[in-house]
Amino acid sequence: MGQRLSDVSAPARTARPEEGISREELALAARNHGLPLEALRYDVTPPGLHYVLTHYDIPATDDRTWTLTVDGRVRHPLTLDLAELRARPAVTRRVTLECAGNGRALLSPRPVSQPWLTDAVGTADWTGVPLRDLLAEAGAAEDAVDVVFTGADHGVERGVEQDYRRALPLEVALGEEDDVLVAHGMNGAPLPPQHGHPLRLIVPGWYGMAHVKWLRAVTVSGTPFTGFQQAVAYRLRREAGDEGEAVTRIAPRALLLPPGFPDFMSRARVVRPGPVELEGRAWSGRAPVTAVEVTTDDGATWRPAELEPPPAGSAHRWAWRRWRLSWSAEPGRHLLGARATDARGNRQPDRPPWNRGGFANNEVHRHVVHCLPAP
């Protein structure tokens, strides 16, 4: 009897009570990686420290033959090679990216997938061509609804063989102030292979699933896109049969740059008594961050942190912001955490609603800090 795709591609599930991380999840965690939290000190994340999530394989690419097509419901279809794209006027945007599954491994029951804790994030300077310019040149038809983006990565997921594809509503794809980019550069250099070389989409404010890597086609559609990554994956569902709500913009989050020095296995922190300068980063894809609060007693009390001024202009408006607070550490065990609030009143919860995919879990993360007795 012949094999079927469903024989090699398991359905989605949640972990059984007391079930540990599986060998398959460990393999995913080895292929993908998060930001070491001490790298929160960088305004711009070095590419090798920026989080990486690759659904299938990093595809082989060749700059000499790579093209991007813009077609579908357009009046003037385009086929552009890399030289043409790189010769066009480019803009650079500093954008914080976060995986939609960030925090998944902290949920109970745990959805079985890439086991992220809180470190699936990074901020880079992305350089490329505004998508709205390409769509204007191609001339989207009046009945255009969605814009579909196809990457070169190919695989099978839950029994469905597919290229990685996502879509944006036309009004989002057109963007504001040239924000949505077909990017060919990261931090002043060509995109590295793991970050989508030679082309990727950058959609500021949206979770990482929207930022299609190894981009090879932009297709304007007159009907809503119902591909797997749109209609099946990346939905907020409590029950398997629910239609669910689409995962879109990043929920507010603040992370603490771990103070002191760590224990190798537990990552618990060690500090000395006295003043300890706490700092970290905060971001939201829904509205600018307006406040960060810090607890040093597991949420019994919260103190406002000093938030750096918002960036001037629009080039950095989608980037995280630094915050600081001075803490007088006393001997003992402490649980530290930080939470962000944005301009629309969205604030990090202690525990957000559970969902089967483990998406958008922006719960307040606690750090165990041991303050040693004075010598």
Side-chain angles (χ1 to χ4, degrees), residues 280-312:
R281 303 282 177 169
W283 62 94
S284 174
R286 300 176 180 178
V289 170
T290 54
V292 172
E293 300 165 282
V294 178
T295 180
T296 56
D297 53 14
D298 195 19
T301 60
W302 294 87
R303 293 171 56 198
E306 178 186 354
L307 190 62
E308 71 177 5

Side-chain angles (χ1 to χ4, degrees), residues 259-260 270-279 296 303 325-331 334 336 369 371-372 374:
V270 179
V271 300
R272 308 292 182 186
V276 176
E277 293 301 313
L278 303 178
E279 65 173 297
T296 56
R303 293 171 56 198
L325 180 73
S326 182
W327 171 47
S328 181
E330 298 180 354
H334 306 270
L336 276 61
V369 178
C371 181
L372 302 180

Side-chain angles (χ1 to χ4, degrees), residues 37 42-43 102 135-136 147 183 191 199 239-240 285 287 303 312 335 341:
L37 291 183
Y42 298 107
D43 290 338
N102 202 16
L135 293 175
V147 182
L191 291 171
L199 297 174
E239 302 294 337
R303 293 171 56 198
L335 279 174
T341 302

Side-chain angles (χ1 to χ4, degrees), residues 12-170:
R13 70 179 185 89
T14 57
R16 299 180 298 275
E18 307 304 321
E19 178 184 354
I21 298 290
S22 67
R23 182 174 180 175
E24 289 80 7
E25 289 174 290
L26 182 60
L28 282 176
R31 284 186 53 83
N32 303 302
H33 69 78
L35 172 83
L37 291 183
E38 61 270 27
L40 289 167
R41 66 172 59 96
Y42 298 107
D43 290 338
V44 175
T45 309
L49 298 180
H50 195 290
Y51 97 92
V52 169
L53 188 284
T54 302
H55 277 79
Y56 308 126
D57 283 353
I58 297 173
T61 62
D62 186 340
D63 284 16
R64 297 169 299 179
T65 58
W66 194 273
T67 59
L68 177 72
T69 59
V70 183
D71 58 14
R73 299 294 298 149
V74 298
R75 293 185 291 275
H76 310 289
L78 307 175
T79 300
L80 305 167
D81 62 27
L82 291 181
E84 291 174 287
L85 282 165
R86 289 168 177 162
R88 288 172 174 250
V91 299
T92 297
R93 295 285 182 263
R94 184 167 296 174
V95 178
T96 296
L97 270 61
E98 182 179 7
C99 184
N102 202 16
R104 175 183 291 124
L106 301 173
L107 295 175
S108 181
R110 174 176 53 80
V112 175
S113 185
Q114 166 68 28
W116 291 122
L117 295 172
T118 60
D119 46 1
V121 66
T123 295
D125 287 338
W126 306 97
T127 299
V129 178
L131 176 64
R132 65 187 301 171
D133 292 354
L134 299 179
L135 293 175
E137 185 173 335
E142 291 184 0
D143 64 350
V145 174
D146 276 358
V147 182
V148 183
F149 305 92
T150 302
D153 46 333
H154 184 88
V156 58
E157 199 165 343
R158 303 186 210 172
V160 179
E161 184 178 359
Q162 58 190 281
D163 293 332
Y164 187 84
R165 285 191 178 96
R166 283 282 306 183
L168 293 172
L170 180 63

Side-chain angles (χ1 to χ4, degrees), residues 202-227:
I202 295 295
V203 189
W206 283 55
Y207 280 112
M209 77 283 157
H211 303 242
V212 177
K213 294 183 283 189
W214 310 292
L215 182 65
R216 59 183 180 84
V218 176
T219 305
V220 179
S221 173
T223 58
F225 178 63
T226 57

